[in-house]
Amino acid sequence: AAIQTNTVTLDLSSTVAGDIYLTEQNGANLSDVDTANGSIVITTGGAATLTDVQAGGAGSDINITATSGNVTTGLVTAADDVTLNASNGSLVYGSLQITGDQITLSSGTTGAIGSSGSRIQTASSSLNVTGGTGGVFLNEKNDLNLTGANIVAAPGGTFDVASEKSLTVSGSINANAGQIILTADSDNSNTATDTFTQIHGTTIGGA
């Protein structure tokens, strides 16, 4: 069962093999939450600030959900997958980047993932995003495999995803009548080898 808390700041460490499961009644600043070898699963009843959240050990995941309010990103690093969900709010860029193998990001139906002036920063192998009418604004540091994306409410917001290296679309993208912008080699560092690829059978559209 998950640990139940009602606090403002969370500082938790698991120094031996083991997971962290926690439910926070209100919002909280996850100022320093880490495992030596285990996953981190946290649900907050209000806004969550992810100042420093790190899951160590092979196969260890991070899964954080705020049932109300925004999720503000900071240093978020997992040995395996990262899932961040602001189910009735937005994912807001605070600092640093989200690092994991498969990264899954979602906002509420009227929320956003990042903003045009402050993109969510990721370093992943593959990415799946579900945004709201506020749109999706994201920058990937590595070669990006975009496995699927959806704007969940009409009129759809702008879907703007950039990779500093190559970008592959392996799952369909639906911006729900919103604008779609996909960019490879966004930092113009290697124009000769960084490519954009769409896998056969996928669709990119805003209808």
Side-chain angles (χ1 to χ4, degrees):
I3 295 172
Q4 306 292 315
T5 62
N6 183 356
T7 187
V8 174
T9 302
L10 288 166
D11 185 340
L12 304 168
S13 294
S14 175
T15 57
V16 297
D19 304 327
I20 292 176
Y21 290 90
L22 185 141
T23 300
E24 162 58 35
Q25 181 177 339
N26 300 304
N29 174 17
L30 279 59
S31 65
D32 187 7
V33 179
D34 58 84
T35 59
N37 187 5
S39 295
I40 297 171
V41 181
I42 295 176
T43 300
T44 64
T49 299
L50 313 183
T51 301
D52 186 345
V53 184
Q54 300 187 63
S60 296
D61 302 326
I62 292 173
N63 190 320
I64 296 174
T65 297
T67 58
S68 68
N70 297 333
V71 173
T72 300
T73 65
L75 177 61
V76 180
T77 302
D80 200 10
D81 300 336
V82 176
T83 300
L84 304 181
N85 177 22
S87 55
N88 288 289
S90 297
L91 292 179
V92 178
Y93 176 72
S95 63
L96 302 172
Q97 70 185 24
I98 305 163
T99 302
D101 183 19
Q102 165 81 39
I103 294 178
T104 302
L105 306 175
S106 56
S107 72
T109 56
T110 59
I113 297 175
S115 66
S116 59
S118 192
R119 292 171 176 267
I120 298 292
Q121 303 292 317
T122 60
S124 68
S125 298
S126 59
L127 180 72
N128 190 290
V129 293
T130 301
T133 54
V136 173
F137 302 88
L138 184 143
N139 185 71
E140 167 65 35
K141 301 292 186 181
N142 301 325
D143 293 324
L144 175 59
N145 176 21
L146 191 56
T147 60
N150 189 36
I151 300 294
V152 297
T158 297
F159 182 86
D160 186 345
V161 171
S163 171
E164 294 182 9
K165 296 184 179 180
S166 294
L167 194 159
T168 299
V169 177
S170 63
S172 295
I173 299 172
N174 175 22
N176 207 355
Q179 182 183 28
I180 297 175
I181 304 170
L182 300 172
T183 306
D185 191 36
S186 62
D187 62 354
N188 297 311
S189 63
N190 201 352
T191 56
T193 59
D194 289 341
T195 61
F196 175 86
T197 304
Q198 181 183 3
I199 301 301
H200 178 73
T202 64
T203 59
I204 300 173

